[in-house]
Structures are given as structure tokens and as C-alpha cells.
Amino acid sequence: MSGPTDDESAFVDEVAAFFERDGLPLISGRVIGWLLICDPPEQSPARIAEALRVSRSSVSTATRLLVPGGLVETVRRPGDRNAYHRVSADGWSRMLERRYARTAGFREITERGLRALDDASPERRERLANVNELYRFLESELPALFRRWQDTRGKDTSP
């Protein structure tokens, strides 16, 4: 098996840098980047490690972080004892839906903070009030946004 081209490696590293800025370990971003472009789309940990020139333990650590979030899934092939990883077909949507589902939780936290600052000056409350307003807006708008996304893909959005 040949390794990634220079352009493919550059893409993988760009994806990794993007996700690293979002707080994900660099190796996890590299795994995402590779799984987005690899052929075949299902890769063994050994093949991922070879393509990325990292240890299998690094790949294992990365996939343990990515699989629970739904972006990457582990699959098995009939008659093959190996596990393979791939980007989930709807992994990006599920990841974002989970992330935005936490919007209500953080909005509730900001509301408790505002109650704790009931007697504080408006200037002191302003930063927290701005965050609360943003999260309230996101909480009201994101469900419709995701419904529109699903509609563009022709999928049923009912629970």
C-alpha cells in the first residue's frame, strides 16, 4: 500500500490544525482528515498508523476519543477479526447536533449566574447577559436549522 501524497498529507495536517484549534488533540484531527480521503473508506488501525506515520497506540487513543462522539465508527467485516474505522455517514450532523443540544444546558447555567447577580450593577451583568442572549437565540434557532438540513438531504426528521 502506498502512503498519502504530499497534497493529501497537507490536507490531513490542515484538518488536524483546524480541529486542534477547537481543542481536539492533533492526532485525532489527523485521523479525521485521513478518514475523510482514504481509500478504502474503512481503515484498520494499522493502516491508519502507517498512513499517518504514527504509532498504533496513538491511533487507538484518537479513535477512542472520536467514536463516542459519533463522528467515527468502528465496523467489522464478515470473516475478519480486525476492526476498521470510518467516518460515519451522518457523523458530522450527529456531532453538531450533540454539541448544539448542550446549548440549553449552558443557557440554564447562565440564567443561574444572572440570578446570582440579581443585585449587581448592569455593567457587571452585561457579559453574562450577552452570553445568555446568544445561547437563548441558538437554542430557539438550531432545531429549525437542523430540520432544514435534513430536508435538503431528503431524510425524515421525526423522532
Side-chain angles (χ1 to χ4, degrees), residues 42-54:
E42 297 171 349
Q43 300 273 297
S44 69
R47 175 64 184 123
I48 296 169
E50 177 186 334
L52 299 179
R53 294 185 214 113
V54 297

Side-chain angles (χ1 to χ4, degrees), residues 116-127:
L117 296 177
D118 268 345
D119 297 329
S121 70
E123 294 81 17
R124 186 170 174 209
R125 292 173 48 92
E126 183 179 10
R127 285 172 289 156

Side-chain angles (χ1 to χ4, degrees), residues 5 8 33 38 51 67 82 86-87 89 97 105 107 117 132 149:
T5 66
E8 290 170 342
C38 63
V67 168
N82 293 315
R86 67 180 178 202
V87 171
E97 282 177 305
R107 185 223 3 110
L117 296 177
N132 177 265
W149 166 248

Side-chain angles (χ1 to χ4, degrees), residues 125-136:
R125 292 173 48 92
E126 183 179 10
R127 285 172 289 156
L128 187 55
N130 287 339
V131 173
N132 177 265
E133 186 178 332
L134 170 64
Y135 274 76
R136 186 175 294 284

Side-chain angles (χ1 to χ4, degrees), residues 12 16 20 24-33 48-49 52-55 57-63 65-66:
V12 167
E20 185 181 40
L24 204 60
L26 191 63
I27 184 60
S28 296
R30 292 187 76 213
V31 168
I32 292 168
I48 296 169
L52 299 179
R53 294 185 214 113
V54 297
S55 69
S57 64
S58 293
V59 171
S60 177
T61 299
T63 56
L65 184 64
L66 296 170

